[in-house]
Amino acid sequence: MIDTICTVVEEVESYSPPGCASTLTRNFTPDHYITGIKTLCDLHKPIIVYCKPEVEKMICEVLNDKVDRLPIFKNLSSKDINPYYDQILEFSKKIVDKNPTGVFCWNPMLTTAKYFFMLDCMSKDTKKVLWVDAGLSNESYVPEDKGGTWHNYKQQDWKKLYPHNDEAIFNPELGKRLFNLLEITDGFVTGIPYVGVEQARFIEKHRNKRIPYWSASPAMIGFVREKLERIKKSYIEALELYISNYDRIFTDIEIFTYLNSYFNFSKFVFEKFDPTTEKGTIYDTIKNNIKHDKIRFNHTFIRK
């Protein structure tokens, strides 16, 4: 049976209220993620990258002599994949219009499409699927001397990545650990040990129960095939609930936090986003905590 990594590289659809700057975007273009795709290839697992043909060509030209095996490409976008794309876009526009000078840098249509990309990437032989954000290895999260990458691939020192750098954390051993844990857990989601007040109130109102002091931050989402398919109905119901009842922009953060109140996902936790090797950083989680005894569940984060 096949292990599969999937991710997407696309320029998101933004929204510009009259007289205001663009929202629903961080203004990154596909070329910013080429170095990140290199680090995912270094996990030495089959990887499917969703992107436009011109982005596929660019990735292949840059990485052809830098990886053992290029990704498999599917020329589909989040608009093609996410059945709620248009509804979420219109919802998001209404939220932005209420406060056009607010900070709205995340793209709800793409982030809520992650789950649908995971479903789409499965073949009949797929057993385990792992979503990894293409920008996870960026040096704003991971120290450069430990395999952190630059958005500008022309400035990237490729010798600081696997196999040239023994300290680079994105390597085949990490790929093995991630999929071995998927075998044991049937699925996991990365997150942080706190939850926003408004987010918690919304979930507790609609679930009529207290939720743990934890929020999804789904840079990595992994499921075995059966679990991925089993949560589909609940995932769609959650999207529809937020579209109909929420009064803020929402992303995969809110959706997986909500679903955790049903499924009590296996969790890997990071506490800060500093690009250092300190305990609690993304680097520390990836380097030291992708192991069975570091898995956490809801009871760890009960609020008193």
Side-chain angles (χ1 to χ4, degrees):
M1 298 293 282
I2 298 173
D3 297 337
T4 303
I5 297 169
C6 72
T7 196
V8 63
V9 177
E10 68 180 39
E11 190 162 359
V12 299
E13 181 175 0
S14 61
Y15 172 57
S16 300
C20 298
S22 294
T23 64
L24 312 183
T25 180
R26 298 172 68 199
N27 296 311
F28 288 142
T29 52
D31 58 293
H32 284 114
Y33 297 99
I34 293 177
T35 53
I37 296 300
K38 153 72 169 130
T39 61
L40 297 187
C41 291
D42 291 341
L43 300 180
H44 285 192
K45 294 288 184 178
I47 172 173
I48 297 176
V49 174
Y50 289 83
C51 63
K52 290 183 176 181
E54 57 268 29
V55 176
E56 174 184 344
K57 180 181 178 183
M58 179 171 56
I59 291 173
C60 290
E61 287 176 349
V62 175
L63 297 185
N64 185 54
D65 62 347
K66 297 178 178 65
V67 297
D68 286 353
R69 180 171 57 181
L70 286 166
I72 300 164
F73 294 95
K74 296 190 76 169
N75 299 141
L76 297 171
S77 69
S78 53
K79 188 172 180 64
D80 300 317
I81 288 290
N82 190 343
Y84 288 85
Y85 186 100
D86 291 333
Q87 286 178 252
I88 293 172
L89 174 58
E90 292 309 310
F91 167 88
S92 301
K93 287 179 179 179
K94 291 176 183 177
I95 299 297
V96 172
D97 286 341
K98 292 178 182 178
N99 181 22
T101 59
V103 178
F104 303 103
C105 58
W106 301 110
N107 188 271
M109 300 83 75
L110 183 147
T111 54
T112 58
K114 291 180 184 180
Y115 174 77
F116 297 110
F117 280 118
M118 293 174 74
L119 285 175
D120 184 82
C121 82
M122 290 194 301
S123 70
K124 61 181 177 63
D125 296 321
T126 303
K127 183 177 182 182
K128 301 183 287 273
V129 180
L130 177 68
W131 170 277
V132 185
D133 286 353
L136 181 59
S137 63
N138 186 255
E139 47 82 31
S140 60
Y141 303 129
V142 177
E144 189 179 4
D145 63 336
K146 305 297 184 182
T149 57
W150 286 80
H151 278 311
N152 188 339
Y153 70 86
K154 295 179 181 178
Q155 295 181 355
Q156 177 66 45
D157 182 351
W158 301 99
K159 292 190 180 301
K160 291 188 176 180
L161 306 181
Y162 175 88
H164 308 288
N165 179 6
D166 292 338
E167 297 294 315
I169 58 171
F170 292 90
N171 55 52
E173 191 270 336
L174 174 61
K176 290 179 182 178
R177 284 192 286 130
L178 287 166
F179 281 94
N180 285 343
L181 277 171
L182 275 180
E183 185 76 40
I184 296 169
T185 62
D186 87 1
F188 59 76
V189 180
T190 54
I192 52 180
Y194 46 88
V195 62
V197 174
E198 296 83 3
Q199 183 181 2
R201 285 176 179 168
F202 181 83
I203 297 172
E204 290 177 349
K205 173 185 175 181
H206 289 276
R207 291 287 289 123
N208 194 29
K209 63 185 291 188
R210 294 274 284 175
I211 65 168
Y213 200 61
W214 176 89
S215 176
S217 185
M220 290 193 289
I221 311 165
F223 289 112
V224 298
R225 181 190 195 98
E226 295 79 8
K227 181 69 169 284
L228 185 67
E229 293 174 336
R230 190 163 69 247
I231 70 172
K232 183 177 181 179
K233 181 175 181 290
S234 298
Y235 189 88
I236 288 173
E237 288 174 349
L239 285 180
E240 293 176 347
L241 175 69
Y242 275 79
I243 292 169
S244 300
N245 295 279
Y246 209 48
D247 60 358
R248 295 169 177 264
I249 294 291
F250 67 88
T251 66
D252 56 331
I253 292 173
E254 286 76 14
I255 299 301
F256 276 100
T257 304
Y258 178 84
L259 291 177
N260 180 62
S261 69
Y262 285 91
F263 295 103
N264 191 7
F265 297 124
S266 302
K267 303 166 181 64
F268 291 108
V269 177
F270 43 84
E271 300 175 4
K272 46 192 173 182
F273 296 87
D274 306 347
T276 69
T277 60
E278 293 178 8
K279 184 177 180 180
T281 59
I282 290 177
Y283 167 84
D284 176 57
T285 298
I286 294 173
K287 173 68 175 178
N288 300 314
N289 294 344
I290 304 297
K291 56 182 68 172
H292 189 255
D293 63 354
K294 296 296 184 178
I295 294 169
R296 297 293 179 261
F297 293 96
N298 285 350
H299 68 271
T300 306
F301 308 100
I302 289 177
R303 293 178 292 160
K304 298 180 180 179

